[in-house]
Structure formats: structure tokens, C-alpha cells
Amino acid sequence: MLGRLNHVAIAVPDLAAASAVYAKTLEAEVSTPVDLYDHGVRVVFVHLPNTKIELLEPLGDDSPIARFLEKNPAGGMHHLCYEVADIIAARNHLLAQGARVLGDGEPKVGAHGRPVLFLHPKDFCGTLVELEQV
Ligand code: CO
């Protein structure tokens, strides 16, 4: 079911500062910021030869990553994103396996304009998992 690792996401308190760490200190290619109002986050992508790093900061008052940053004020690894060929088939398989899909269970449009879903971290080794249809 799982395809490639699409990205590793890191929640940060200050996206401009985090972008500078990746662009200047680590000399990586960093995208311009994108506001994802549906997800309550502002993101940039760091492009690596084999995958991407997504840097996230809260957008709006009820951002889902606000509580994460209260617990991890310096930032921290937030989720892994795996590619799937058919997100509805993947969701139905996971639900049949007893896994929990977050939200209303319907895919939302993610940072790359493609459908995404998030899976409960308690069902996946303590790690929040994003699935992206590619
Ligand atoms: Co992501």
C-alpha cells in the first residue's frame, strides 16, 4: 500500500528562522511559504535529492499544531508523509484494519494540491502519519 516517503514534517515556532537554518546553515533549497488555511498551518518545503522536509508554523488561532508547540517549544518532528496510489482504497483498508483516520475521514487538499489524510499516532507507533495520493 505504501509508496515513497514524500516528506518528513517538522513543526517550528518561527518559520522564517527555521527556513534560514535550512537555507543558510544547511545550504538547502527552501521554497517560498504557502498558507494552508484548511490545515491551520503555513509551510515551506526543503527539497532534498531523495525526499522533502516540510517546515510548519501555526496559522490562525485554532491551529492543530499549536498544542504540539506548547509541548515542544523549540519545535520537533511532527509527522511522516507516505505516498499512496489510491487514497480512498487506502483509507478503506485502514478502517477495516481498525486504524483511526483523523477528522471526518474524508481527504482534504494538501500542500501539493493532492488529497491527503492523517492517521492517529497511537495506531502507528506513536507517529502521526499523513497519506498523500500521488
Ligand atoms: Co505534511
Side-chain angles (χ1 to χ4, degrees):
M1 186 179 88
L2 291 186
R4 297 187 332 140
L5 175 68
N6 185 276
H7 59 268
V8 176
I10 299 173
V12 299
D14 181 337
L15 191 61
S19 296
V21 167
Y22 273 86
K24 295 192 177 118
T25 312
L26 295 172
E27 298 186 320
E29 182 196 337
V30 180
S31 76
T32 53
V34 178
D35 291 350
L36 299 176
Y37 294 101
D38 275 2
H39 297 272
V41 293
R42 175 176 291 132
V43 307
V44 300
F45 281 93
V46 179
H47 294 275
L48 303 179
N50 62 337
T51 189
K52 297 184 281 289
I53 306 298
E54 179 182 57
L55 302 175
L56 311 159
E57 77 174 359
L59 180 67
D61 295 332
D62 54 352
S63 171
I65 65 167
R67 198 180 303 160
F68 180 90
L69 285 169
E70 279 171 27
K71 291 183 199 154
N72 304 276
M77 207 206 86
H78 186 260
H79 65 265
L80 299 176
C81 178
Y82 299 119
E83 297 180 355
V84 295
D86 181 337
I87 202 163
I88 298 299
R91 178 200 64 189
N92 293 342
H93 167 77
L94 289 163
L95 290 173
Q97 296 293 310
R100 287 166 284 183
V101 176
L102 299 186
D104 64 6
E106 294 304 319
K108 285 185 180 179
V109 175
H112 307 110
R114 301 187 185 123
V116 300
L117 281 173
F118 286 89
L119 310 177
H120 200 298
K122 287 192 175 152
D123 296 335
F124 296 96
C125 313
T127 305
L128 179 63
V129 172
E130 178 180 16
L131 298 180
E132 179 173 313
Q133 181 171 289
V134 295

